Amino acid sequence: MTSQALQKARKYEITAERTIVEEERPAFHLSPRAGWMNDPNGFCRYQGKYHLFYQYYPYEPKWGPMHWGHAVSEDLLHWEYLPAALAPDMPYDQGGCFSGSAIELPDGKLMLMYTGVRKEEQPDGTILDVQTQCLAVGDGIDFEKYAGNPVLTEEDLPAGSSRNDFRDPKIVVRKDGTYRSYIGNRPADGSGQVLCFQSADGFHWSFQSILDSNGNRLGKMWECPDFFGLDGKHVLLVSPQDMLPQGFEYHNGNGTVCLIGRFDEETETFIEESNQAVDYGIDFYASQTVQMSDGRRVMIGWMQNWDTCEFRAHHGKWQGQMSLPRELSIKNGRLYQAPLRELEAFRQNKAVYQNALITGDKVFPDICGRRLDLEVSVRPEEGEELYRKFSIHFARNEMYHTTVSFRPHEEVLKIDRKFSGSRRAIIHQRRSKVAGSSDGFIKLRLILDRCSVEVFVNDGEQVMTAVCFTDLDAEGIMFTADGAARIDVVKYDLIG
Ligand code: FRU
């Protein structure tokens, strides 16, 4: 039975969608059908298609009582909207249907596990969120909330764990057919931990183990965990709140962390070996992964950040985008990300310049646009002193530009969108250390999709992501060197 709240959302999103013209949206990144989008949810493969749900408030382009939006795709790049999947319509989720995940049950039904938020008045009159885990089962379009909800509450928590920060279940099925759910939580030390719960049938759950504890090292509360095996290692992705900066690796505020290590099957605990940022740019958070039919592990993140949401599109019709699907791998103990290879089918109008000498400013007549795949290999000019700085300016006209610049002497790559049209005093720059680049060699691949850029550095060893709502007629691209740099450039328009 579809509740009134869900019917209202489904009706509203159909009319609101019609008011948004295609050119006001990214072309191959998913944006909300209407209103607001944050985290990817329930990213899964079901009946031969990829389903992506998302944190959704259809009525306004800002965060509100959370629904689940829904889209489906065959290739992870062309998305078709489906009706909103969940609305906050039960006593246990009236404060919102927060993030969660999806899994196919043995009977062929699709099950969603999400966090239900209930507002609870305290004796002193203040209101606190109480978070529990809930289920909804359906056919891939309509979902019935489980009569036994909530299936995990404060009673299932180990001692000292907060019932107010207990969210974002990532459910997995194991080889033996039993289920695990990895859930973010705040323990007694006030930071974060990932709890593991087990179930034989997907409906009855109990506490299994503490998968990993933050211990106040990497921010505070850990949101949106994901946990999977990759290239002989195990990877735990978390999105911490309240980070402190650590060199150029982590920055203040909401961050993304990839922990690489081993999984102890006996104790069901994770043994960390190393950690790194997932994304070194400005706008990336709350990622989720799916395994493709050919085994590839693909990650999508919310291409925005809680600290920078005030950079808004001026049309004001929608807010929030998903990142590109990124293929994950581990090389030399680091997480690598590559744009989903199917994107290459979008490539048209190739333009190539090899061995071009850049001294000062340079534009190439056929290199411009806002839906681009731009590969640039940079090296020093032989016999010359190492250049001091090399920059690519894009989304550019007389008034605006956004810049990616590289300083080999410092091994620092910077993204700067100060001049992208933002009128808000928020973070517009971010720097990242590119280890081993002091010889002046660097490879950059920029993917532009109207209102965002994703910079893949040295074949995906690092990624820097930022949104930029610059007027779409600012489509110039300019290369600049302080000193002399040689570059090879390959540009394609991305037309899907
Ligand atoms: C992360 C997050 C989640 C929560 C959701 C609410 O961005 O804060 O922890 O489930 O957003 O919309």
Side-chain angles (χ1 to χ4, degrees), residues 83 97-98 105-106 116 133 137 150 162 174 186 220 245 254 257 278 300 305 318 331 356 410 425 431 438 465 476:
C97 300
F98 276 19
L105 293 172
Q133 313 316 318
V137 178
S162 164
R174 308 211 316 168
R186 194 187 296 274
K220 292 283 185 182
N254 289 83
V257 175
V278 179
I300 284 186
N305 190 310
W318 57 267
K331 287 179 206 151
E410 293 150 39
R431 277 168 232 251
S438 59
T465 301

Side-chain angles (χ1 to χ4, degrees), residues 104 132 242 308 444:
E104 184 173 346
T132 59
D242 307 311
T308 55
L444 303 170

